[in-house]
Amino acid sequence: GVAGVYLLNNQGANNNTTPTPTPKPTVADASTLQFSANVTRQGQTTEYKWVGKNIHANDRMLRVDFATYAYIIDGTQEKSWMSTDSGATWTASTYATDLASWAPQWTDIVDNLAHWNGSDETYSYTNTAGEAILVFNIAVNPTVPDSTFSTS
């Protein structure tokens, strides 16, 4: 009957194919990135919380929070702001200075995350200054609300 015709036409081949899983986005392909990093220098560890948008572009937007401080660096407007009260109030800051201070740290971590396997909960390395870096809470391509970079 019908089953015999089917088997003859398909020569008995098993056409049950396993769908290929969608690969996880990598840091290299990401447009947004969020992570925390414990930076240990001279025996003192500070936790930094980073969020970035347009992360590989010149007009990237960065936010870094640590202790009670926060910085927003807006590459689209070439403006930056700082807060000394965990983001409750913001003061205009100097874009060029903040970019020169924070972009190298962001870039160092992002470049090193290229070696992260995409699934471990943490990634650690020692930077060129000899500081121990432990990166955790890594989210590749998270939805980042505009309010993350808002000062109001």
Side-chain angles (χ1 to χ4, degrees), residues 11 17 20 39 65 71 77 92 95 101 126 132:
Q11 296 160 354
T17 57
T20 304
V39 177
D65 293 78
Y71 285 84
Q77 300 181 64
Y95 175 77
S101 295
T126 301

Side-chain angles (χ1 to χ4, degrees), residues 1 23 29 47 55 60 88 93 115 117 124 142 144-145 151:
D29 300 327
E47 180 180 336
I55 67 169
R60 71 181 161 230
S93 192
H115 307 291
N117 67 13
S124 60
V144 177
T151 58

